[in-house]
Amino acid sequence: MPVQPPDPAAIAKVAEGYGLGLSEDDIKSFSPMVHGLLASWDAVEELYAQTAPKAPERAWTRPSEVDNPFNAWYVTCSVSEGGEGPLAGRTVAIKDNTMVAGVPMMNGSKTVEGFTPTRDATIITRLLAAGATIAGKAVCEDLCFSGGSHTTRTGPVCNPWDETRSTGGSSSGSAALVASGVVDVATGGDQGGSIRMPASYSGIVGHKPTHGLVPYTGAFPIEQTIDHVGPMTRTVADAALVLSVIAGRDGLDPRQPADLTVDDYVGALARSAEGLRVGVVTEGFGHPNSDPGVDDAVRAATETLRGAGLAVEDVSIPWHLHGAKIWDVIATEGATAQMVDANGYGLNWQGLYDPELIEHYGNQWRADASQFSQTVQLVLLAGKYALNTYQGKHYAMARNLALELRKAYDEALSRYDVLVMPTTPIQASVIPPVDAPREEVIGRALEMLANTATFDVTGHPGCSVPAGLVNGLPTGMMIVGKHFDDATVLRVANTFEQAAGGFPAPQSADGGNSS
């Protein structure tokens, strides 16, 4: 569709917005030049139409309530390329922030509803090439901005261990489907803990790779410096297997370093972890909202590691207590600028964009911004105020402080092979009722971020494994490693799993509904 040339009033409105002080004669003079320049927009649109992909025909279904355990599916499908591969015969749930061409994507939000991608995300291409079957799109939180499982517009996702409780988020559906055994494995996304937190709440393995190890191409962005995608599985071995399939450069994602190399994550599990050094981060325990039972379970899990031959001792990293505040500024101002004002993708980076999603989402949220979830509304109120008032100064400060935060962890990791702490300071909380006050809705969405969000800022790999059951509910231990040393993180996680005798599953792990 050709660009609609602006009339003088439209040009005057732009000029007024920037305070250019143009007269009517100035506007009249500029108008033909503006029109002439915008002719290049038409040329780009014509050229793009010749190269843009067409969505393949892929059958999908919006499941009925009866066929949708835990309300965890957005749509179901069965997409495969056949053939052999390391994931042949395995079913995968894809977090609904990630594109599967020809299959609807909502990203948990009315502002994205109605969009069908024309491209597969890079990780989808790799999963299919490895023989996997894409079983559907798993529900995620509204624009992925919640650590609970109650903000998605398709209704709360229930925890297979106790359906009155949260699965954690924002990869809520992925966690429920894996924990209950409906699918073999799943993918998740993580900007503040959204792989690891639902893994902790739901009793599964959730691995946030080193920032840039797995290409983010084709996933809905929140903020480029904190965007991650990774595996969610029932065993560490499956997490290593999925990571081995999806990791590596694709040449389309600027989050990835040019010299990136991929390790043998599956092979690493065969190597003994005996003698590896484990630093138990004291600041990861005893938060104001920490559940003593969670702290005790993770302390007991570290003793299991000691019993398996690892050297375990406490380490103090005072900067850890600053991490969540630094994340607050980056995630709030960054998401305001990129995820909302710049329609998800932003500008000024080299890589693969999705023009159709940018237009669809940008038009849809501007048509009715009241459709944003309350968590996103909070982000916009604080983020836009700060950007308008202080011009991004605090974002710049926070990104500079992120270098100091990373240095603090790196110093500890020069003395230890991995760091451990509780993934979440609490266990799965009760899902707020539909008429809950705003304070409860937002509180339940952000109450569990203290230990996870900081590693989205620094980019270190982190894996949550079930540390044990407390009052019949799972809790997670997070294992953190050096940049791009995901293999060591997984080795330690696997050693713990073997020493613990495997991880427990809810009664519904046969793939049925536990109610």
Side-chain angles (χ1 to χ4, degrees):
M1 183 184 299
V3 172
Q4 182 67 38
D7 60 20
I11 295 175
K13 184 176 180 180
V14 173
E16 182 180 358
Y18 278 110
L20 299 182
L22 299 183
S23 66
E24 288 187 19
D25 287 342
D26 292 329
I27 298 297
K28 184 177 180 180
S29 172
F30 268 116
S31 288
M33 290 184 275
V34 170
H35 293 176
L37 181 57
L38 288 173
S40 293
W41 275 240
D42 292 337
V44 164
E45 193 159 337
E46 291 171 7
L47 289 167
Y48 179 74
Q50 299 171 24
T51 63
K54 305 298 182 186
E57 292 290 332
R58 286 171 170 168
W60 56 271
T61 302
R62 179 81 179 99
S64 67
E65 185 175 339
V66 173
D67 298 324
N68 197 1
F70 316 108
N71 198 37
W73 286 120
Y74 174 45
V75 296
T76 55
C77 58
S78 182
V79 178
S80 71
E81 294 179 350
E84 296 301 315
L87 293 175
R90 310 295 292 278
T91 55
V92 186
I94 304 299
K95 182 178 182 179
D96 192 39
N97 73 331
T98 302
M99 297 180 191
V100 178
V103 178
M105 170 177 154
M106 186 180 180
N107 201 21
S109 179
K110 289 286 189 181
T111 64
V112 182
E113 188 175 22
F115 176 71
T116 299
T118 59
R119 299 172 176 81
D120 282 334
T122 297
I123 65 168
I124 302 304
T125 301
R126 292 176 177 178
L127 289 165
L128 292 173
T133 297
I134 306 301
K137 305 296 295 297
V139 169
C140 62
E141 292 298 283
D142 195 316
L143 295 182
C144 299
F145 222 99
S146 167
S149 65
H150 58 282
T151 71
T152 180
R153 288 308 179 97
T154 54
V157 177
C158 303
N159 193 318
W161 292 86
D162 177 348
E163 293 193 52
T164 69
R165 294 180 182 270
S166 173
T167 63
S170 60
S171 308
S172 47
S174 294
L177 292 166
V178 170
S180 61
V182 173
V183 295
D184 296 317
V185 299
T187 66
D190 198 309
Q191 281 90 4
S194 289
I195 288 172
R196 295 158 291 156
M197 297 183 304
S200 176
Y201 276 16
S202 303
I204 64 171
V205 178
H207 184 76
K208 181 195 78 66
T210 302
H211 186 256
L213 176 61
V214 176
Y216 201 81
T217 310
F220 193 104
I222 286 182
E223 211 280 346
Q224 193 175 131
T225 68
I226 60 175
D227 289 332
H228 303 72
V229 289
M232 301 177 72
T233 61
R234 286 193 289 279
T235 67
V236 176
D238 276 351
L241 178 61
V242 174
L243 184 62
S244 71
V245 168
I246 63 177
R249 274 181 56 79
D250 71 352
L252 302 171
D253 182 4
R255 300 167 186 81
Q256 299 193 276
D259 60 351
L260 174 62
T261 58
V262 175
D263 210 334
D264 179 4
Y265 306 110
V266 174
L269 303 189
R271 301 199 301 271
S272 171
E274 186 174 354
L276 291 181
R277 300 159 298 169
V278 178
V280 182
V281 180
T282 58
E283 288 81 5
F285 299 78
H287 293 290
N289 68 333
S290 285
D291 181 335
V294 170
D295 283 355
D296 291 345
V298 174
R299 284 286 183 185
T302 67
E303 290 305 310
T304 300
L305 288 173
R306 189 192 308 276
L310 285 74
V312 179
E313 64 182 40
D314 284 359
V315 59
S316 176
I317 307 176
W319 269 88
H320 181 73
L321 296 177
H322 302 312
K325 298 300 183 186
I326 295 170
W327 179 87
D328 280 346
V329 174
I330 291 170
T332 301
E333 291 197 13
T336 298
Q338 179 178 334
M339 184 180 76
V340 179
D341 287 350
N343 307 315
Y345 280 76
L347 305 172
N348 307 116
W349 55 272
Q350 295 185 18
L352 185 67
Y353 291 71
D354 195 289
E356 293 79 18
L357 177 56
I358 290 170
E359 180 181 40
H360 176 90
Y361 165 65
N363 284 338
Q364 203 141 294
W365 82 252
R366 284 175 173 81
D368 185 3
S370 71
Q371 294 295 337
F372 281 129
S373 69
Q374 297 198 55
T375 52
V376 174
Q377 290 180 24
L378 173 63
V379 165
L380 295 179
L381 291 171
K384 196 64 171 179
Y385 169 79
L387 287 168
N388 285 347
T389 307
Y390 302 105
Q391 320 308 331
K393 175 181 74 172
H394 295 89
Y395 179 92
M397 288 177 173
R399 284 290 0 152
N400 289 350
L401 288 172
L403 302 176
E404 299 299 322
L405 183 64
R406 174 173 172 168
K407 188 186 303 180
Y409 295 124
D410 286 345
E411 191 283 325
L413 286 164
S414 71
R415 295 179 283 123
Y416 299 95
D417 296 291
V418 296
L419 306 172
V420 301
M421 66 193 76
T423 306
T424 54
I426 59 174
Q427 294 181 284
S429 52
V430 174
I431 294 171
V434 292
D435 59 350
R438 177 178 293 117
E439 292 78 6
E440 183 179 355
V441 170
I442 294 176
R444 293 288 82 80
L446 303 174
E447 63 189 347
M448 69 300 284
L449 297 168
N451 286 340
T452 55
T454 183
F455 297 108
D456 290 283
V457 171
T458 66
H460 291 86
C463 186
S464 179
V465 295
L469 299 180
V470 177
N471 298 321
L473 293 174
T475 191
M477 174 173 68
M478 183 167 57
I479 304 166
V480 176
K482 301 177 179 70
H483 282 87
F484 298 103
D485 192 14
D486 296 62
T488 297
V489 171
L490 292 166
R491 280 173 66 198
V492 174
N494 186 63
T495 296
F496 175 74
E497 180 180 0
Q498 301 308 310
F503 299 137
Q507 291 182 356
S508 59
D510 59 357
N513 196 309
S514 63
S515 61

